[in-house]
Amino acid sequence: MAKNNSVKSKIKFVYFDVGGVLLYWENVLTALAKHHRKEIKDIYEVFHKYDDLTCRGIITPHQLIHGIHKDLRLTYIEELDMSRLAKKYFEPIPQSHRLISKLAAKMPVGLLTNIYLGFLEMSLQYGFIPKLNYTVVVKSCDLGLIKPDKKIYLYAQKMAGVAPSEILFIDDYKKNTAAARKLGWQTYTFDNLHVQDSIKEIEKMLHLY
């Protein structure tokens, strides 16, 4: 399990990442590799070339998938559109859905996510993330900023309206939780290969027994 910082003060606001915490998304790339009979590492290599640009809202998900096909000299068909692949292969993480739903009934919760244009709305519509009354939703594609850029955390901090030490941030990438810790946030690095263990540790941090 990943190491996480100890509780320093009472948590009054919880931010959740989306991909890797509330839903599994990597099956999209696995399916793409399988369709084209390519090594998954080849897909990932080209994907990362375009992912940040898409998360910043500079290019669309449609442009991302076309870029992957162009770079790898693959034949594009409509069935392989990024939005269609997401609708087919995204998977909710039920334990995380139960946790955030439980929390939302007790305290303010928000989303702080590197995400593509239209993908949060699609994920809500198809049940990949729960429909809740989120106090704050911070989307990278709206701000042109991505984690772990300090500026996106400062914006999220301002929107939360509590002291940095009173925010708990849950993300599956260590570089993202590390950046939040530098600003005084409390963090938990979510292990989506051991979901139930992660949920138990988060509940312990929040005194949910």
Side-chain angles (χ1 to χ4, degrees):
M1 295 296 295
K3 292 183 179 180
N4 298 280
N5 65 315
S6 59
V7 177
K8 299 175 183 178
S9 62
K10 183 176 174 61
I11 296 166
K12 296 182 179 178
F13 194 105
V14 183
Y15 271 120
F16 283 76
D17 178 33
V18 173
V21 175
L22 294 176
L23 63 85
Y24 294 112
W25 63 271
E26 292 179 318
N27 285 344
V28 168
L29 301 186
T30 303
L32 194 61
K34 184 177 181 180
H35 175 87
H36 289 297
R37 298 180 181 178
K38 300 289 290 186
E39 294 289 334
I40 187 66
K41 63 180 179 61
D42 296 329
I43 299 292
Y44 267 100
E45 184 177 342
V46 180
F47 168 77
H48 286 303
K49 174 181 175 182
Y50 295 100
D51 182 48
D52 282 2
L53 292 173
T54 317
C55 285
R56 291 180 189 274
I58 295 172
I59 65 173
T60 65
H62 190 66
Q63 289 172 310
L64 175 146
I65 201 70
H66 270 280
I68 292 174
H69 280 80
K70 180 181 177 181
D71 286 8
L72 292 176
R73 299 180 181 179
L74 304 173
T75 301
Y76 172 80
I77 58 175
E78 287 297 322
E79 286 71 19
L80 298 177
D81 182 75
M82 195 66 185
S83 295
R84 291 192 183 191
L85 287 171
K87 290 172 186 176
K88 186 173 182 179
Y89 292 106
F90 275 8
E91 290 183 37
I93 303 178
Q95 300 96 320
S96 296
H97 285 210
R98 288 193 290 270
L99 173 63
I100 195 171
S101 298
K102 184 194 299 185
L103 282 178
K106 298 175 178 290
M107 64 191 302
V109 299
L111 304 176
L112 173 51
T113 176
N114 289 351
I115 200 164
Y116 303 164
L117 291 164
F119 268 45
L120 182 72
E121 295 77 9
M122 178 271 292
S123 295
L124 286 166
Q125 180 183 351
Y126 285 85
F128 300 127
I129 59 176
K131 293 181 180 179
L132 299 172
N133 185 24
Y134 298 104
T135 305
V136 182
V137 175
V138 181
K139 297 186 289 181
S140 62
C141 58
D142 287 347
L143 299 175
L145 300 168
I146 59 173
K147 299 173 293 185
D149 188 323
K150 179 181 178 181
K151 292 179 182 178
I152 197 169
Y153 297 99
L154 292 175
Y155 176 83
Q157 185 174 298
K158 180 180 179 181
M159 296 300 293
V162 300
S165 62
E166 295 172 334
I167 299 173
L168 172 62
F169 175 47
I170 302 165
D171 195 290
D172 60 317
Y173 283 110
K174 289 182 181 180
K175 64 180 181 180
N176 294 340
T177 53
R181 279 199 301 276
K182 288 181 180 178
L183 295 174
W185 293 22
Q186 299 185 55
T187 66
Y188 184 83
T189 305
F190 193 84
D191 182 353
N192 53 42
L193 296 178
H194 300 89
V195 171
Q196 199 55 48
D197 290 339
S198 289
I199 296 295
K200 287 180 180 178
E201 290 193 36
I202 294 166
E203 288 179 336
K204 189 180 297 183
M205 292 180 74
L206 292 163
H207 304 291
L208 298 174
Y209 302 106

